[in-house]
Every structure is written in structure tokens, then in C-alpha cells.
Amino acid sequence: MRICELRGVGRRYPLGETEVLALQGVDLDIDAGAFLAFAGPSGSGKTTLLNLIGCLDRPSEGHIVLDGQDLGGLGEAELGRVRAEKVGFVFQSFNLIPVLTAVENVEVALRLGGQPKDRARCAAALAEVGLADLLDRRPAQLSGGQQQRVAIARALVKRPRLVIADEPTANLDSHTGAAVLDLMKDLNQRHGTTFLFSTHDPMVLERAGRVVRLRDGRVEAGP
Ligand SMILES: Nc1ncnc2c1ncn2[C@@H]1O[C@H](COP(=O)(O)OP(=O)(O)OP(=O)(O)O)[C@@H](O)[C@H]1O
Ligand SMILES: [Mg+2]
């Protein structure tokens, strides 16, 4: 079963009088349950591609089918609903809300998804990432690796089909980054959640189930 299919996907950004061709002619099939890394030099299109798959942006050309649904025909509100229902996000800079505790940060994700507040469920999500004892800490009272674990719990609490993580280890030291990656892989294997992430880090690539390399906005021919 495929979680995502891209056909002839391109994305241009207008820039003054000209435009930047950030992605072009991307054809890609991603299996449900994949643990897939996008690699490639800075500016090669990794973030652009993750944003398209995650319904944060739309292609300038081509088609994307996500979990059986063609995104091309959807209006803004519908695209937002698909995103809320199917996709969880983990960011390079964690993006936690500083005045909220760990468990409250996870609760925000449930409420944004239109679901009722459920502290027990959020506490369980945090327990799953090894933070059962730190529910009431605010982000400033947590280490970088712990903050990223809160972000992973927040991404997973709705049980999305897909988690998108743009350079999830970029702000972590290599030891902590490896632990976060191992945690993501464990969750991938236990729940079958598809993980798509981007990275510059060889340690991360080593742990990926599949690596897709981008260069100048194109997918490089793989093995
Ligand atoms: N909003 C924008 N307007 C114009 N050009 C953009 C915009 N966003 C990205 N680009 C350009 O699109 C190309 C791809 O950018 P993207 O951010 O996807 O690269 P990346 O592979 O994620 O790079 P990095 O590894 O540095 O994060 C780059 O040339 C970038 O300058
Ligand atoms: Mg990027």
C-alpha cells in the first residue's frame, strides 16, 4: 500500500521579475510504513518537497496523492482538514510553546485537530517517548533532546498516518540526535506510522530505511 504518490511534481517560487525552480519533475512512490530520509545539498528542495507532501503548500505542476486522496482537487479548507487528520509535524527548532508545560504542548495538537482535551491520552503519548516523569516541565526546563521528544509526542498524539520531520536532529548533538532517531524508528516499527524526514547528517542516513537524494530540485536516480 502506498501512502504517497507524486507524478511530475514541480514547485516554482516567484522572485522579483524571475522565478526559482525549487522542484521539477519529481516522480516518487512512498510505501505506507516507510522510514525515509530525503538527502541532498542545501537548496536542493528537501523542505519544499516535505511541505508539499505535508499539505502545507501546493505544487505548481504535477499531482500528489496522499493516502489515496488526490490533493489537486482540494480547496484550502479541505487541504487543511487532510493535514490535520493525516499528518504530524516535527520541526528542526522543536517549536514548542514556551509558556505551556510538556503535557499542555501535546494537548494543543489535539485541540487544533478538533478533539477534546484529554490529559491522560497526552500523558500516555509522552510516556511513549520516555517523558512520563516530566509532564509538567516547561520547554526551558528540558534538554534539547527532551524538547524534541515532546515534539514527537505532539506529532503522534493524533495517531497520524504520516509524520514529517524537517531536519529533526539539526539542533541536537550527535548522541542525542541518534537517540531521537532511534525513538522515531521504534515508533515507526511499533505503529506502522510512515516517517519522512530530511537531513544533512550521515548518522541519520545510516538509520533510514530508504534514502531519496535530491539535487537542484530533482530526484537523483537511486540504486
Ligand atoms: N519562499 C521562497 N521563495 C523563493 N525561493 C525559495 C523559497 N523557498 C525556497 N526557495 C528556494 O527553493 C530552493 C529549494 O529550497 P529548500 O528550502 O526546499 O531547500 P532545502 O533542500 O530544504 O535546503 P536546506 O538543506 O538548506 O534546508 C532553494 O533554491 C531556495 O532558495
Ligand atoms: Mg530545508
Side-chain angles (χ1 to χ4, degrees), residues 13-15 20 22 40-48 167 200:
Y13 295 109
L15 194 71
V20 178
S42 180
S44 59
K46 302 181 296 295
T47 296
T48 302
E167 304 203 36
H200 291 276

Side-chain angles (χ1 to χ4, degrees), residues 48-133:
T48 302
L49 185 52
L50 288 176
N51 288 347
L52 291 175
I53 296 171
C55 305
L56 288 169
D57 187 22
R58 290 171 184 280
S60 313
E61 60 235 349
H63 295 278
I64 302 176
V65 176
L66 182 67
D67 201 21
Q69 185 154 32
D70 189 339
L71 301 181
L74 303 184
E76 276 313 311
E78 290 167 313
L79 196 64
R81 265 196 297 278
V82 173
R83 181 172 64 231
E85 184 197 334
K86 295 187 193 293
V87 191
F89 293 92
V90 175
F91 299 96
Q92 176 176 339
S93 47
F94 322 138
N95 287 16
L96 301 176
I97 299 172
V99 296
L100 300 184
T101 63
V103 73
E104 288 166 348
N105 265 282
V106 177
E107 283 175 338
V108 167
L110 272 191
R111 271 183 280 164
L112 286 177
Q115 300 187 36
K117 204 167 161 176
D118 185 344
R119 184 182 161 100
R121 183 168 163 197
C122 295
L126 284 163
E128 235 190 338
V129 299
L131 296 180
D133 297 333

